Amino acid sequence: MNVRLGEGNTPLVPSVTTPGVWFKLESCNPSGSYKDRFVAGEIERMLAIGAKACVATSSGNTGSALAAGAARYGLRSSIVVNEFAPAGKLAQMQAHGARVIRVPGFTVDAALTREVMETLALLAQEEGLPLVVSAYRYCPVGMARVERLGEEVVAALPGARIFVPVGGGGLATAVVRGVAGRAAVTAVQPAGCDTVVTTLASGAGVRPVTSTTRISGLAVPFDIDAGQAVEELRNSGGMAITVEDDEVFEAQRVMLRDEGIYAEPAGAAAFAGALKQLRHGHSAVPRPMVCLVTGHGFKDPDSIAGRISTSEERVDASRLRVVLLGTERVL
Ligand SMILES: Cc1ncc(COP(=O)(O)O)c(C=O)c1O
């Protein structure tokens, strides 16, 4: 069956603050992140084998995309999340009827995370249940659908440099494969969880790190697809850079206040990377810079309300005119 969630063909808009920069609005996918592309492929796979239910792990976005897709195609889903999955993403999963199971320490403690993954892999095998994890290591069929994201960018802007936020490394792997040499890729990773960046620089194998980043979705401190991403980046002449969390929050603020783009922090990480490159004098590079806005701001309202000053005024209807015009006549 050809599964259609309404994913893909997302808008590509130029920045109004930074010449040469473009935003690929993956936040416009139906559940608000690029994971809808992945889930479309996974649901197709599940329907082909006659599955009725699945188990999944998620930092939030895979879960919300899966819950929506599973609801649409009559599948049951149980989703294992960590302590930090943001409220908006959990609300999406629950609204679509998924079973949400929080496991303390998951994705934080490397040994505990391995134990959870082994338990799920064994259970999936014994019960014949699909295990949905947005990584090539577990779900190559779904990840192959994410490669279209890279194809869409090169079709619109051949020769671009694409900035990709990195957690586990699957998305970066997919984008490099999708562009197939027709664009350059820069992986952008939080300095507090820099598995891909250090491995690309050192040439050694991927070492687990203790993650300190607060960017939901990018805190994957062990090798899921990191090794794969490093290999793809190395073979394609790609780059990998780190950004501090505060640089990501500042990029998110610029997107909100000056670009009119409502992104969750992970969706602003690519722009943080592009701004950093420009600050470091890479602006002379004569190619468009495309930042993947991978997730919507609606998913993580606390990341916005907590950091960006918002104010609300309350007035009686009778005073509205006088308040709007004010003493300084701002309108
Ligand atoms: C919004 C967002 N951006 C980027 C990523 C990173 O993708 P990957 O873990 O494949 O590197 C994720 C992963 O969950 C995400 O949710």
Side-chain angles (χ1 to χ4, degrees):
M1 187 195 279
N2 189 3
V3 167
R4 294 179 62 189
L5 306 174
E7 77 286 358
N9 293 316
T10 50
L12 184 61
V13 296
S15 165
V16 292
T17 64
T18 318
V21 167
W22 295 71
F23 296 105
K24 177 77 170 157
L25 301 180
E26 286 297 294
S27 45
C28 291
N29 279 299
S31 79
S33 84
Y34 79 93
K35 303 273 185 170
D36 290 313
R37 297 177 184 267
F38 164 75
V39 162
E42 281 303 297
I43 291 199
E44 223 164 83
R45 176 175 77 93
M46 287 189 243
L47 295 178
I49 60 173
K52 299 274 179 277
C54 62
V55 284
T57 64
S58 175
S59 62
N61 284 328
T62 300
S64 29
L66 178 64
R72 185 168 165 82
Y73 287 92
L75 300 165
R76 293 188 307 282
S77 57
S78 296
I79 302 166
V80 173
V81 300
N82 66 18
E83 300 267 45
F84 312 106
K89 302 181 189 182
L90 290 173
Q92 283 182 285
M93 292 180 221
Q94 284 161 346
H96 289 301
R99 183 169 176 210
V100 179
I101 302 162
R102 255 189 218 271
V103 178
F106 181 54
T107 73
V108 178
D109 180 315
L112 185 142
T113 303
R114 200 170 314 115
E115 184 190 329
V116 169
M117 294 311 294
E118 281 169 7
T119 304
L120 293 177
L122 191 64
L123 175 100
Q125 196 186 27
E126 285 171 359
E127 303 293 322
L129 277 174
L131 173 59
V132 181
V133 182
S134 66
Y136 282 91
R137 184 185 289 260
Y138 295 95
C139 296
V141 173
M143 289 308 296
R145 290 285 279 265
V146 182
E147 295 170 16
R148 287 191 193 163
L149 167 49
E151 293 168 25
E152 286 172 24
V153 174
V154 286
L157 290 173
R161 175 165 288 282
I162 308 177
F163 289 79
V164 184
V166 172
L171 174 61
T173 303
V175 174
V176 176
R177 290 187 183 176
V179 302
R182 294 166 293 167
V185 172
T186 297
V188 182
Q189 215 172 15
C193 191
D194 58 356
T195 49
V196 167
V197 178
T198 40
T199 310
L200 189 64
S202 71
V206 182
R207 293 233 182 89
V209 298
T210 304
S211 172
T212 55
T213 182
R214 290 162 289 155
I215 314 294
S216 159
L218 305 189
V220 184
F222 42 87
D223 184 10
I224 296 192
D225 275 346
Q228 190 74 57
V230 168
E231 203 178 309
E232 296 285 349
L233 287 165
R234 192 173 284 140
N235 295 341
S236 63
M239 293 168 56
I241 60 171
T242 56
V243 285
E244 299 297 332
D245 284 4
D246 284 347
E247 292 177 301
V248 175
F249 296 133
E250 173 55 17
Q252 184 192 27
R253 195 192 64 77
V254 173
M255 288 168 74
L256 289 165
R257 287 295 161 96
D258 302 324
E259 299 281 358
I261 296 174
Y262 204 57
E264 64 170 305
F271 187 43
L275 289 175
K276 187 168 189 173
Q277 291 295 86
L278 288 169
R279 269 200 311 279
H280 290 184
H282 296 275
S283 54
V285 183
R287 36 165 104 210
M289 301 166 100
V290 177
C291 300
L292 301 186
V293 183
T294 46
H296 209 292
F298 289 141
K299 289 168 163 290
D300 193 357
D302 292 345
S303 78
I304 292 166
R307 279 184 205 94
I308 288 163
S309 66
T310 49
S311 59
E312 188 183 284
E313 297 173 58
R314 203 179 166 86
V315 296
D316 290 336
S318 59
R319 291 193 60 240
L320 187 56
R321 182 185 159 83
V322 85
V323 167
L324 277 172
L325 292 176
T327 45
E328 288 162 28
R329 229 195 141 92
V330 286
L331 283 183

